[in-house]
Amino acid sequence: MSSSPLDHLTQLLAKLPGLGPRSARRAVLDLLKRREAVMLPLIESLRDVAVQVQSCPLCGNWDVVSPCSICRDEKRDETILCVVEDVADLWALERSRAFKGRYHVLGGTLSALDGIRPADLKIDKLVARVSNGGIQEVILALGATVEGQTTAHYVAERLARTGVSITRLAHGLPVGGELDYLDDGTLTAALRARQKAE
Amino acid sequence: MSSSPLDHLTQLLAKLPGLGPRSARRAVLDLLKRREAVMLPLIESLRDVAVQVQSCPLCGNWDVVSPCSICRDEKRDETILCVVEDVADLWALERSRAFKGRYHVLGGTLSALDGIRPADLKIDKLVARVSNGGIQEVILALGATVEGQTTAHYVAERLARTGVSITRLAHGLPVGGELDYLDDGTLTAALRARQKAE
């Protein structure tokens, strides 16, 4: 029978995204079985992260150094700023290795439903950062959702008077995507933004 | 960009059952965001479990006391022993509150494919435990899989000379199950084991 410390650990693990009560129980049993190989290193690693990792005061990324290693990296182009909803999106873009500028993490999207207003996101900070000069292009890399696009419109409006060039990610076929699996919205966007075949 | 301690934590979390690299990344970001509410309590809880929880030398259950609280509980019927593959199965039976005897965790199932032989499971220990006397019935609560049933046959054979009564869980319709969603094997088993309507 699961006694108190095991129950407590199960409840905490069940709070993580992607884990429910059932998978949390399986995770606890797995941790007990692999005490030396997983449980003890996990405790150590969590402690390291809790102590060392902080939010970058400039862009909002998580890192062990402050400002973060991206904001510090002088090889990166500081004239291009990529605005993302979340650190997860920043990491996804970094994995693609397609962007070599700086980032700005908003911390979410505007949402009337969830009561998230402009003041709840780092929009003022973004406007201040762009107004300070040195930035020529702001890429709004926000999700192609209603909330993402609402936020993009709002941010673009707020940045309009800075005179900086504002762009957004292209919509279209995902690489490897088949037409008959795509939704109408994506197909329409891909058709409208069609390009000359090379 | 994810720097070394974050990568390390992501890799460790990705080793847990039910989490892959993608969900582990989401879990790490969630932990960072909910540092006080989840990350710090999780470190504490993992440490408690690592220090306090041990495997019961009698039945193989995990508990903070040794022998475990089930083996200690004098209200439980020590003449009935329920043999399970794993502690997860023991916990599932406990949640059902349908069994009030003692347990014996084998630690897995026989599997030619995975090279798991009788010596790798706690079968000798089970035979010794039953031979010591005092047990009248052994319930083989093993999975209705090829490996589970192979193991059940083997264990039943090993226990035959002890003269104890050996039973297994009934096969049939799961409660709430609809006939046309059931596999043929279960339907056949349910038909063969049909009982008088009350």
Side-chain angles (χ1 to χ4, degrees), chain B residues 164-187:
Chain B
V164 77
S165 160
I166 299 171
T167 55
R168 65 161 179 78
L169 295 188
H171 291 175
L173 264 70
V175 174
E178 294 184 63
L179 260 70
D180 58 348
Y181 285 97
L182 278 179
D183 63 293
D184 294 349
T186 305
L187 270 181

Side-chain angles (χ1 to χ4, degrees), chain A residues 175-194:
Chain A
V175 174
E178 293 184 65
L179 259 68
D180 57 348
Y181 284 99
L182 277 178
D183 62 293
D184 294 349
T186 305
L187 270 181
T188 307
L191 250 177
R192 284 197 189 141
R194 66 190 176 278

